[in-house]
Amino acid sequence: MSKTSGCGSIYRSRVSHRTVPRPTGFPVALVETSDEALRRGFETISANLDGAVRRGQLAADLRDRTLGMLSLSAELVDLDRADFIVEAAFENLDVKKSIFAALDVIAKPGAIMASSTSFLNIDDIAAVTARATDVIGAHFLPPAELTRLLEIGVGTRTAPEVVATAFALAKRLGKVGVRAGMGDGFIGSRIVRQSFKAAERMMIDGARPSQIDQALERFGFAMGPFRSLGLSGHNPDQAGRERKAGQGFYDHSQDPIVPYKPALQIIEEEGEKAGIPPHSFTDEEIVSRYMTAMISEAARVVENGIALRPIDVDAILLFGYGFPRFRGGPLHYADTLGPTEILNRIERYAVEDSGFWQVPDLLRRMAERNGTFAKLNEMCQAPAERHSG
């Protein structure tokens, strides 16, 4: 079991990035704000389990027993006997605070209260309770029933035994648990958001969203950033902002989907307003800028201690964000380029935009000493292994 001491650790697995609905034997209470929301939630759970039965991944009698362990309620008070509570409201700090303030009164002593936030500070959420030691982040990546990552956000007052329990739950659920310290966006969302900014800059400078997507998909990503954005429904920088179906960067009403012309027109107009003369990008240039932005932010996450070692970053991007598995994660890939090459890229791009492109101190030190992220992993391996089981 992983704990918070040393350099941290993750649960390793040799199976695929995706899993199937896996009954664990836990009784579960689903609490929603209305009967209609409860109905939709139950239908979604049932459909997921039915799909597993059709694929031969789950026995029909086990599906029935699993659904029999699920209770539905529209009242938070019905969580008064729960051992582990996961809040999954949309990303609004005030909403989450109101829920946790209520849970503080309702939850039994010793109950763990987790937020599935992807970027809000757990300390801010815990501050409205009288038991901050029992509050933790449990970021389930969508679709939660398939994606193997569980990003565990550890607040400054979260108790070690609460962290250990969260890792044990991840293992019981068949997920890869990875520890994340407090910072804007934890690990995964923060890194992906920064690389998406690089993609946006290339788009404004003249690269078509479809070209950016195709270049990165050929590099190995399961889905390019703009194609992914069209499915997720909001910009990583503007949580809660919704796009109407079929009106993102692609026209999904067509088969196959095609670029959405009004979106391309808006992009061109914004570039003209900014006085940016459009220029072309090769696929190699697109991959270079996107990956350099990702590696730079990943290095800062390690440098700031939000990720305790580079392998934690790689695990999160591999198991939760569709990073090409054969490349081993962004920081493993960075070692194939070398720190000097990455540093030179950042300095070259900084001539155009010094505000966005800045060399992380960790990367500069690595370039001076011929260091690698693999060496950093080795430095952390011994203490991490003492706390894994």
Side-chain angles (χ1 to χ4, degrees), residues 235-308:
N235 187 303
D237 269 336
Q238 295 173 295
R241 174 184 171 188
E242 296 182 355
R243 294 179 180 273
K244 294 182 179 179
Q247 295 185 1
F249 293 99
Y250 295 92
D251 185 350
H252 291 269
S253 67
Q254 304 296 314
D255 187 17
I257 63 172
V258 296
Y260 187 56
K261 291 182 179 179
L264 297 179
Q265 183 178 351
I266 293 172
I267 293 167
E268 292 175 1
E269 291 173 353
E270 290 301 313
E272 291 175 0
K273 289 178 183 177
I276 301 172
H279 65 275
S280 61
F281 289 83
T282 66
D283 286 0
E284 291 75 17
E285 288 172 330
I286 288 171
V287 171
S288 174
R289 287 173 180 257
Y290 188 86
M291 286 307 306
T292 300
M294 179 174 285
I295 292 166
S296 298
E297 195 64 18
R300 291 188 185 92
V301 165
V302 174
E303 182 177 78
N304 296 338
I306 297 170
L308 295 183

Side-chain angles (χ1 to χ4, degrees), residues 24 68 83 102 126 142 163 187 211 213 224 233 248 275 285 364 371 382:
T24 61
D83 296 308
V163 179
I187 296 173
Q211 184 197 1
D213 283 344
E285 288 172 330
R364 194 179 297 280

Side-chain angles (χ1 to χ4, degrees), residues 69-379:
M69 299 182 73
L70 176 66
S71 61
L72 308 177
S73 175
E75 301 292 338
L76 276 180
V77 70
D78 289 332
L79 295 175
D80 60 343
R81 293 179 295 170
D83 296 308
F84 199 110
I85 302 170
V86 181
E87 164 274 314
F90 61 90
E91 296 283 16
N92 180 287
L93 182 59
D94 290 337
V95 170
K96 291 182 182 293
K97 282 183 173 181
S98 67
I99 293 172
F100 273 78
L103 290 175
D104 190 38
V105 176
I106 294 168
K108 69 181 183 180
I112 294 174
M113 300 183 294
S115 174
S116 191
T117 179
S118 63
F119 67 89
L120 296 175
N121 194 304
I122 296 300
D123 290 341
D124 293 338
I125 297 172
V128 301
T129 75
R131 37 175 152 171
T133 55
D134 293 333
V135 179
I136 196 167
H139 180 205
F140 290 83
L141 274 291
E145 74 278 7
L146 296 177
T147 304
R148 295 206 57 229
L149 176 69
L150 177 58
E151 193 174 22
I152 298 171
V154 180
T156 56
R157 295 183 60 192
T158 305
E161 59 269 24
V162 171
V163 179
T165 302
F167 272 95
L169 176 64
K171 188 174 184 179
R172 181 78 172 265
L173 295 175
K175 293 186 178 294
V176 176
V178 185
R179 183 191 190 280
M182 287 301 95
D184 184 23
F186 293 173
I187 296 173
S189 295
R190 172 174 170 171
I191 293 171
V192 169
R193 180 173 56 194
Q194 191 72 358
S195 54
F196 186 83
K197 287 180 181 178
E200 284 184 317
R201 280 164 166 75
M202 288 187 282
M203 177 185 69
I204 295 297
D205 286 347
R208 290 288 181 96
S210 57
Q211 184 197 1
I212 295 172
D213 283 344
Q214 290 165 12
L216 291 167
E217 286 164 11
R218 281 191 285 268
F219 177 76
F221 280 92
M223 190 176 294
F226 297 105
R227 197 183 305 274
S228 177
L229 180 62
L231 295 178
S232 65
H234 63 78
N235 187 303
D237 269 336
Q238 295 173 295
R241 174 184 171 188
E242 296 182 355
R243 294 179 180 273
K244 294 182 179 179
Q247 295 185 1
F249 293 99
Y250 295 92
D251 185 350
H252 291 269
S253 67
Q254 304 296 314
D255 187 17
I257 63 172
V258 296
Y260 187 56
K261 291 182 179 179
L264 297 179
Q265 183 178 351
I266 293 172
I267 293 167
E268 292 175 1
E269 291 173 353
E270 290 301 313
E272 291 175 0
K273 289 178 183 177
I276 301 172
H279 65 275
S280 61
F281 289 83
T282 66
D283 286 0
E284 291 75 17
E285 288 172 330
I286 288 171
V287 171
S288 174
R289 287 173 180 257
Y290 188 86
M291 286 307 306
T292 300
M294 179 174 285
I295 292 166
S296 298
E297 195 64 18
R300 291 188 185 92
V301 165
V302 174
E303 182 177 78
N304 296 338
I306 297 170
L308 295 183
R309 56 183 183 164
I311 195 174
D312 291 347
V313 172
D314 287 342
I316 284 178
L317 270 294
L318 284 167
F319 288 100
Y321 290 89
F323 192 90
R325 190 174 188 182
F326 69 95
R327 298 195 185 275
L331 296 183
H332 179 83
Y333 173 71
D335 280 350
T336 69
L337 302 174
T340 300
E341 167 63 19
I342 301 167
L343 185 150
N344 289 340
R345 287 183 183 183
I346 297 172
E347 292 181 337
R348 187 166 67 249
Y349 302 149
V351 174
E352 307 167 6
D353 187 350
S354 59
F356 182 78
W357 296 104
Q358 298 181 10
V359 179
D361 291 339
L362 174 61
L363 196 61
R364 194 179 297 280
R365 293 195 300 271
M366 288 172 59
E368 292 170 352
R369 303 170 186 173
N370 196 30
T372 65
F373 290 106
K375 290 179 181 177
L376 288 179
N377 283 326
E378 292 172 2
M379 291 170 60

